[in-house]
Amino acid sequence: MAIMVICLPILFPIVTKLGFDPVWFGIVVTINVEMGMITPPFGLNLFILKASLKDASMDDIVKARCPLCSF
């Protein structure tokens, strides 16, 4: 949320002046923020999932976030 509060007031006028659709810009920003929330080392959603699943290790959670990745 903090990155959106910092960056969007700067980027939004630039994006609209370049002629991009603001709705699609919002969708792209949301997807990028969510990708950052599930990607280590700062994957906050991974820590939330670890707190909810007491019997799973963090290694299992990180491996499960991307089933196509080979570890």
Side-chain angles (χ1 to χ4, degrees), residues 31-54:
I31 290 171
N32 285 328
V33 168
E34 280 302 315
M35 285 174 54
M37 294 293 279
I38 64 170
T39 306
F42 300 110
L44 184 62
N45 288 350
L46 298 177
F47 293 111
I48 293 170
L49 187 59
K50 172 65 177 128
S52 343
L53 301 172
K54 300 293 183 192

Side-chain angles (χ1 to χ4, degrees), residues 5-70:
V5 171
I6 294 169
C7 291
L8 286 181
I10 298 167
L11 293 177
F12 187 74
I14 296 170
V15 168
T16 54
K17 292 286 183 188
L18 289 173
F20 292 105
D21 187 17
V23 174
W24 281 108
F25 176 67
I27 291 170
V28 169
V29 167
T30 304
I31 290 171
N32 285 328
V33 168
E34 280 302 315
M35 285 174 54
M37 294 293 279
I38 64 170
T39 306
F42 300 110
L44 184 62
N45 288 350
L46 298 177
F47 293 111
I48 293 170
L49 187 59
K50 172 65 177 128
S52 343
L53 301 172
K54 300 293 183 192
D55 57 339
S57 69
M58 188 57 123
D59 190 44
D60 294 335
I61 292 171
V62 170
K63 287 180 183 177
R65 74 174 172 83
C66 182
L68 299 176
C69 301
S70 58

